[in-house]
Amino acid sequence: MDCSLSLDMADWTDLPMDILVVIAESLTVIEDFTSFSAVCKEWQSATAILKKKPSLPTRYPRIMLSEKVDTKDQGNQDDRYFLNLLTSKTCKLKLPEARSRRCLGAHYGWLFTVGFDLQINLLHPFSRQQICLPPLLTFPDQQYEYDETYPPQEVIRSFVKKIAISSNPQTKNNLHDYNHECVILAIYGEFDVLAFARLGDTLWTNIQVPSRCYDDVLYYKGKFYAVDCHGVVFVCDINDNNDPKATVVAPAPSETQDQDQKYLVESSGDLLLVSRIRGGTIFEGDDDDNKKALYYTIDFSILRLEEYHEEGNNYAYKLTKVNTLEDRALFLGNNVSTSLPSSECIKANCIYFTDDNHELYFIGESGGGGRDTGIFDIENGTIQSNYAGESRSDLSPPLWYI
């Protein structure tokens, strides 16, 4: 008697519902959860039994496009579109929680949002779960003089420049509980200084900094790091709430300029300092034939921070030029700067970038940010498009959702 059972003969819809629920709860990325629920009605019912959709990360990075504010159907303004790099198709999510809000990529599948209500949240667009953070007016070092003619709502487009996050805000053991050890560090205000908050805090705590105009922040090997517009790198000590401060660990590189935008990113265990070089009429003066754009990315440079212990040296790190990312790619923009391995939809040795310099697209770029996006090939120095359509906004331009 042949007791073997062909997989083709198995009726997977007959699995007990409690088993299906356990499987649904064990899925680890958004794509698997979506595919699971699409198998059949029984499997979709198992996901519906869950009290909440799990706040999972995405397997591959996506571009979250800007909201469509010119649509006649007000209900459609709650729709946000996410471009899938693997399929080059967009998926639509109903996301009223992000409507008319400044959005930044916060990593682990979460967004950081600031609204005209002055409230700040972490938002997971798939599960639509939100975590309240201290509101905008609790940032301590605000130079703006708010009044009836200039209310705080005027600054939300640029008040928070970048953020970094220490860990997944959701606990692994309970998909509906929050990790109160999670810390968010932000670049904020008129002078782009630093502050942090832990989940559950009621206000933001300032970090004493020796300079201003920070470009990027990153959580790396248990510590927060920051880089200013000159390229000076700092480590932030936030363990003492009474005296949080930033200390210089690497000098400004001689080969970069202040106008080059700086990023910090971890790649294969290394801490990298990336400079983004832009051209255009803003940098080069008036263009006679009026064919050049106001600004556009033309190049990148990459330096690695290496520990430096030579006697008499004043810095913990020295900078070494990097010529290749090998089998990895960087994702830079209004998101936590990220490095990912190459895959069927991620090209090796490339930098994927979105339009993230609000100072430039506020100057006179009609329609807001979103035009200066692309894929930079480090080997040959070429740039190609990463999105064929147009998606522009001065409030929440396209960003990498990772």
Side-chain angles (χ1 to χ4, degrees):
M1 180 178 180
D2 185 5
C3 296
S4 63
L5 179 64
S6 169
L7 290 177
D8 293 334
M9 297 172 57
D11 187 354
W12 295 97
T13 64
D14 285 343
L15 284 174
M17 185 58 65
D18 57 341
I19 299 298
L20 290 174
V21 171
V22 170
I23 295 173
E25 290 180 330
S26 67
L27 299 174
T28 58
V29 293
I30 293 172
E31 290 83 356
D32 288 349
F33 190 89
T34 303
S35 299
F36 179 91
S37 62
V39 170
C40 60
K41 291 183 179 180
E42 287 76 9
W43 288 34
Q44 185 179 45
S45 298
T47 62
I49 289 176
L50 302 179
K51 293 181 180 179
K52 295 179 181 178
K53 285 185 179 179
S55 299
L56 301 174
T58 181
R59 174 176 284 118
Y60 302 115
R62 307 181 184 204
I63 299 178
M64 187 178 88
L65 303 176
S66 59
E67 65 181 338
K68 298 181 178 181
V69 296
D70 57 349
T71 177
K72 294 181 181 180
D73 186 347
Q74 293 296 308
N76 288 344
Q77 293 188 19
D78 290 340
D79 296 339
R80 294 303 286 266
Y81 291 83
F82 292 75
L83 176 68
N84 188 322
L85 291 187
L86 183 62
T87 64
S88 297
K89 296 180 179 179
T90 58
C91 68
K92 180 178 70 173
L93 293 180
K94 187 69 69 175
L95 204 58
E97 297 85 355
R99 181 176 179 176
S100 299
R101 298 183 72 87
R102 164 80 164 151
C103 295
L104 299 171
H107 213 18
Y108 302 105
W110 294 80
L111 300 172
F112 177 98
T113 75
V114 186
F116 288 98
D117 56 3
L118 307 182
Q119 298 303 306
I120 300 177
N121 301 316
L122 290 176
L123 166 66
H124 194 285
F126 178 70
S127 67
R128 294 174 60 179
Q129 293 185 42
Q130 294 193 87
I131 303 173
C132 293
L133 299 177
L136 183 146
L137 291 179
T138 67
F139 278 95
D141 189 11
Q142 302 199 39
Q143 304 297 320
Y144 308 101
E145 295 183 4
Y146 302 125
D147 56 29
E148 293 182 357
T149 61
Y150 192 76
Q153 284 78 3
E154 292 288 333
V155 305
I156 73 160
R157 288 175 172 81
S158 59
F159 187 81
V160 178
K161 180 177 181 179
K162 289 291 290 284
I163 68 109
I165 188 168
S166 67
S167 56
N168 194 329
Q170 182 176 260
T171 62
K172 292 183 179 180
N173 296 329
N174 187 339
L175 294 180
H176 310 305
D177 195 12
Y178 302 129
N179 174 16
H180 293 281
E181 298 299 317
C182 175
V183 181
I184 296 91
L185 191 144
I187 302 175
Y188 81 96
E190 184 178 5
F191 299 116
D192 294 331
V193 292
L194 307 177
F196 71 94
R198 294 180 174 86
L199 296 192
D201 284 356
T202 58
L203 49 82
W204 294 87
T205 300
N206 235 28
I207 297 175
Q208 296 182 34
V209 291
S211 66
R212 295 176 174 178
C213 298
Y214 289 86
D215 271 1
D216 201 6
V217 287
L218 180 73
Y219 190 74
Y220 172 73
K221 293 187 176 180
K223 297 179 180 179
F224 283 103
Y225 289 79
V227 61
D228 67 13
C229 64
H230 310 299
V232 180
V233 180
F234 304 79
V235 64
C236 301
D237 181 1
I238 62 172
N239 292 326
D240 184 356
N241 275 4
N242 296 319
D243 188 29
K245 58 185 178 182
T247 305
V248 177
V249 293
S254 58
E255 59 267 36
T256 63
Q257 301 180 30
D258 289 357
Q259 67 188 30
D260 299 340
Q261 193 162 350
K262 315 298 190 304
Y263 304 87
L264 290 175
V265 57
E266 182 274 328
S267 184
S268 297
D270 294 327
L271 179 58
L272 304 181
L273 169 58
V274 182
S275 295
R276 177 174 179 173
I277 299 98
R278 290 184 172 94
T281 56
I282 286 181
F283 302 101
E284 302 169 8
D286 294 333
D287 184 43
D288 292 337
D289 58 13
N290 198 31
K291 291 183 179 179
K292 287 188 177 179
L294 196 64
Y295 66 92
Y296 51 92
T297 297
I298 58 176
D299 200 2
F300 287 88
S301 69
I302 307 174
L303 298 170
R304 179 171 58 248
L305 279 76
E306 297 182 347
E307 292 189 16
Y308 192 46
H309 303 295
E310 186 173 311
E311 186 176 349
N313 175 57
N314 296 323
Y315 303 104
Y317 294 91
K318 65 177 182 179
L319 302 170
T320 304
K321 185 173 179 58
V322 174
N323 295 313
T324 178
L325 295 171
E326 297 182 348
D327 65 344
R328 300 190 71 84
L330 306 184
F331 290 81
L332 309 178
N334 285 313
N335 58 286
V336 174
S337 302
T338 304
S339 166
L340 294 173
S342 60
S343 66
E344 59 265 47
C345 66
I346 299 174
K347 297 180 180 179
N349 202 29
C350 287
I351 298 176
Y352 291 70
F353 61 92
T354 58
D355 197 350
D356 63 346
N357 194 319
H358 63 270
E359 294 178 354
L360 295 182
Y361 54 73
F362 283 164
I363 289 175
E365 184 74 1
S366 176
R371 183 185 49 75
D372 185 25
T373 66
I375 306 170
F376 177 79
D377 189 309
I378 294 173
E379 183 176 359
N380 57 35
T382 60
I383 296 176
Q384 67 181 77
S385 172
N386 58 22
Y387 176 59
E390 181 170 291
S391 181
R392 306 276 291 279
S393 171
D394 63 354
L395 175 62
S396 186
L399 58 85
W400 291 112
Y401 173 68
I402 300 174

